[in-house]
Amino acid sequence: MRVHIPSALRKWTGGRDVIALEPGADERLTAAEVIAAVAQEFPGIRDRVLDEQGALRRHVNIFIDGENARFLGELDAQVGRDSDIWIHPSLSGGGQAAQTAK
Amino acid sequence: MTKAKLRPNAGDLLLMVGTAKGAFLFSSDRSREKFAMTGPHFPGQSVWSAAFIGNGAARILIGNKSEHWGAMVSRSDDFGATWNDAIEGNVKFPSGSGVALNAIWALEAATSLGDDAVLAGVDPAALFRSEDRGETFRLNEALFNHPDRQRWNPGFGGLCLHSILVHPENPKRMYAAISSGGIYRTEDGGDSWATCVNGLRVHPDVPGATLCPHKLRFDAENPARMYLQNHPGVYRTDNEGRSWVTIENGLPSDFGFPMVAHPRRGETIYTFPLTADADRVPPGGIPRVWRSRDAGGSWQPLGKGLPERDGYFTVLRDAFSADSLDPAGLYFGTRGGQLYGSNDEGESWRAIAEFLPPILCVKTATVS
């Protein structure tokens, strides 16, 4: 499987845009396990994709072969051995972030 | 982007300005007539807090937040020419606590606690401490597990711990102010915390409602005395927070966010009143800093150089600071992106920058 890294996180993968993982023939990985596998080699990835309780950050999406993992069980979503996984910042905007009163 | 490197000399002023879209650094000599600027640093990220560590090699700490990738403390040892982002998050709640960091609202170098000590206040409300100049942080469990926590209630700005005060002579005595939570004092270096809000009124003024302190500061000469801009009301304590008296008489409004104390002269304080909770602009559209020289007994407006009309901006709680030079300089940033400064203790003001993103925090330091 191939994990596609967004440009904003390539600082933490030595500039690599795709990380190849090769699970065993009988090994089934979840999205969480894919992130953990990438983070094992590139530790800067984990805390940027997941919060400290292990939840997918609100404005980060994971796509598995073109499907948003949020609709496939989120971090429990199953990933095929030949899947393409994309970590992608949400296309969000126009909100009140950092606009609230201090 | 302004890329010129800041090269402040010893004794120069450093201004660290956090905005909704990055940090900006300014420096000036002691005259504070001309400022050099670099930024935005961390473009696109909100910067809620900053600190300067002057002992040893100079270090700037920035509390930044990416809406996508989370919040952390980043550091620069060359006045912003380069930044060191932590590989892994360096302000994290314990695994299994069920709580995740939202933003880092306060960073304070706390050399009285140790040469390398830094304190951080965060949302959701908690205090963290670093012993390695801001590289890693550890949660203060006693405040995090305080029984009051279940009654803390996020306000419009979140559930933030925004004010951290370390007693200058007795560092085991510290204060932490939480919006909307209350004010807490420790006498044992953070092992236990007691509420100290006797005399403060709540908003709305009903039993059970949550106290909402906005900004807490020490008096420059008497650390038993502190000043508070509360959500409703302006207050002073003369007995280490055991009781509070109102000092808002003479101000045009009891509502506002910042509170600033003169760096050396006791009883001299500054605030920036807004019309009301439901109308957060200067009264009459005439922005004024208000100063008291008698610990809140009377107040005078300071407006030379500020707009005389149509000034409907807001100054947030961490966006108003004093420097430590003589005469004292004062600096505030607005949600409209203007950075104003005074090099004569507030008697006159001028714009240092006019078109920044919404300003969230303004911190000062004298370069050692």
Side-chain angles (χ1 to χ4, degrees), chain A residues 6 8-9 11-12 43-44 47-49 51-53 57 59-60 87-90 92 96-102, chain B residues 48 67-69 72 85-89 92-94 96-101 105 156-157 257 280 317-318 335 360:
Chain A
L9 294 187
K11 173 181 179 180
W12 306 106
D47 286 343
R48 289 169 174 82
V49 176
D51 69 25
E52 60 262 57
Q53 303 308 325
R57 292 195 180 278
H59 295 301
V60 177
I87 300 170
H88 199 269
S90 294
S92 55
Q96 292 292 306
Q99 302 295 315
T100 52
K102 288 191 78 178
Chain B
W48 301 77
E67 291 300 320
H68 294 113
W69 316 116
M72 65 171 51
D85 294 333
I87 294 174
E88 299 181 42
K92 297 198 287 190
F93 286 91
S97 66
V99 179
L101 179 69
W105 278 65
F156 188 48
F257 287 104
R280 300 179 178 193
R317 76 188 70 196
D318 292 310
R335 286 187 67 178
L360 305 176

Side-chain angles (χ1 to χ4, degrees), chain B residues 195-242:
Chain B
T195 186
C196 48
V197 296
N198 184 33
L200 300 179
R201 65 187 188 275
V202 301
H203 177 82
D205 202 5
V206 296
T210 307
L211 278 160
C212 188
H214 280 179
K215 198 65 193 176
L216 181 67
R217 301 278 191 183
F218 275 133
D219 183 88
E221 295 183 281
N222 175 11
R225 172 173 281 176
M226 291 180 287
Y227 306 97
L228 171 68
Q229 174 66 63
N230 198 38
H231 190 118
V234 186
Y235 290 89
R236 186 186 77 228
T237 176
D238 296 325
N239 54 16
E240 295 153 347
R242 288 172 174 76

Side-chain angles (χ1 to χ4, degrees), chain B residues 346-361:
Chain B
E347 294 294 337
S348 65
W349 298 84
R350 65 187 178 87
I352 297 171
E354 295 182 274
F355 306 108
L356 299 179
I359 294 173
L360 305 176
C361 69

Side-chain angles (χ1 to χ4, degrees), chain B residues 8-22:
Chain B
N9 297 310
D12 283 359
L13 172 71
L14 177 68
L15 278 180
M16 298 164 282
V17 178
T19 80
K21 299 180 182 178

